[in-house]
Amino acid sequence: MRVLVTGAAGSIGTVVCSGLVDRGHSVSGLDRVPEPEGFTGEWFTADCADPDAVEAAFTALSRSGGPDAVVHLAGIPTEASLPDELDSHVLTTATLLDAMVRHGVSRIVYASSNHAVGRTPRSELLPVGTRPRPDTFYGVAKVAAEALLSLYVDRHGIDAVATRIGSFLAQPESRRGLATWLSHDDAVRMFEAALTAPDPGFAVIYGVSANTRGWWDLGPGRDLGYHPQDDAERFADAVLAGPGDPGRDEAEAAYVGGPFATAAYVRAALDTPDAGAAPDAP
Ligand code: 15L
């Protein structure tokens, strides 16, 4: 399959690009920075919120048959002001969807986030159909981007899979991560399944590994062919031996979004002189 990956130089992008290439796919990349060393496919240094740059990339790719699908990973990976989040997640998604429609590209796999439902209190099982319940402006933008995907599926008959990613890391680093970890290998499995599943229409899946402590429903992902193989439990002893902070751990365990759902992330929507800055990502 020919796949255009946005955010291809980022932490998820580099892993997913090389994983898809290893699995026999032809991968081109688009990012605001030049291609990472070793990237072998066609590369576009561009901002995917820029319609002209995106159109130029799709036109260039159409000379070699065009992409069969887009994997959209680009975007600020943490909390920022509402306008920045909307630019970064909603406008980029809209720009790509318009280009896809113009060029007849019929599938997009989107890196959404657990933070789209991050204010959902912890429960036995988190269904994908739970109501949008963002924990931050980042989460609000992910909800809006998912809504755009749904609109374009209904209007244009494309396929769109939103993967609500948990904690994408080489290994879990916190107590919460023992439930929310997405391993590198499982991320590649998940994106390939979402790219190749027959006729998903609009689908939402949780992007986590098969963690013993996880509570996000993996059923819809399995229905699309995503069968996670990794489990954070093998890191549990090491993580739990680390210096914990009972108060923080309890607050982070109360909601899907962990730290993003705590008071530390409360801020004004717009960057005014008095607005608090977003804290650093955990
Ligand atoms: C995400 O979506 C963020 O990009 C990342 O910064 C982490 O917060 C991650 O989710 C998570 O929930 O661990």
Side-chain angles (χ1 to χ4, degrees):
M1 181 178 251
R2 292 169 307 216
V3 186
L4 171 63
V5 178
T6 73
S11 60
I12 302 182
T14 47
V15 168
V16 168
C17 286
S18 68
L20 290 176
V21 168
D22 289 348
R23 287 163 175 254
H25 301 284
S26 161
V27 176
S28 46
L30 187 150
D31 206 310
R32 290 192 296 195
V33 298
E35 69 260 50
E37 212 178 304
F39 189 89
T40 50
E42 202 160 350
W43 187 269
F44 303 93
T45 304
D47 184 340
C48 57
D50 175 350
D52 294 336
V54 168
E55 176 59 24
F58 274 72
T59 301
L61 289 171
S62 69
R63 291 186 201 112
S64 48
D68 301 304
V70 172
V71 171
H72 182 27
L73 306 175
I76 306 169
T78 187
E79 179 64 323
S81 74
L82 182 62
D84 285 352
E85 294 290 353
L86 296 178
D87 279 355
S88 179
H89 301 288
V90 186
L91 292 187
T92 59
T93 304
T95 303
L96 289 163
L97 285 165
D98 279 346
M100 287 172 58
V101 169
R102 282 195 302 274
H103 288 267
V105 179
S106 61
R107 183 167 307 206
I108 182 166
V109 180
Y110 178 57
S112 185
S113 169
N114 72 91
H115 298 291
V117 291
R119 265 284 176 155
T120 313
R122 177 155 190 152
S123 58
E124 281 297 299
L125 183 76
L126 178 72
V128 294
T130 195
R131 80 165 163 91
R133 206 163 179 181
D135 52 20
T136 44
F137 302 122
Y138 171 69
V140 167
K142 291 298 191 186
V143 169
E146 287 188 8
L148 262 182
L149 298 179
S150 172
L151 176 67
Y152 276 65
V153 168
D154 288 338
R155 276 187 175 167
H156 300 285
I158 64 166
D159 290 308
V161 181
T163 63
R164 289 186 185 151
I165 295 175
S167 308
F168 174 84
L169 292 165
Q171 57 185 72
E173 293 172 356
S174 66
R175 283 162 169 72
R176 171 176 178 263
L178 294 175
T180 63
W181 184 50
L182 174 64
S183 75
H184 287 188
D185 288 347
D186 279 340
V188 174
R189 288 183 187 105
M190 178 183 74
F191 278 100
E192 188 183 43
L195 283 165
T196 55
D199 305 320
F202 175 72
V204 176
I205 65 176
Y206 287 117
V208 280
S209 289
N211 303 319
T212 300
R213 298 174 196 230
W215 78 98
W216 306 351
D217 190 2
L218 288 170
R222 291 203 169 98
D223 291 346
L224 285 194
Y226 168 47
H227 300 288
Q229 305 291 307
D230 292 320
D231 183 344
E233 208 54 23
R234 71 194 157 96
F235 300 101
D237 287 349
V239 169
L240 296 173
D245 173 338
R248 190 201 58 203
D249 293 342
E250 197 186 325
E252 291 190 6
Y255 293 95
V256 169
F260 283 29
T262 65
Y265 276 75
V266 175
R267 55 168 291 160
L270 305 177
D271 278 325
T272 64
D274 294 331
D280 290 339

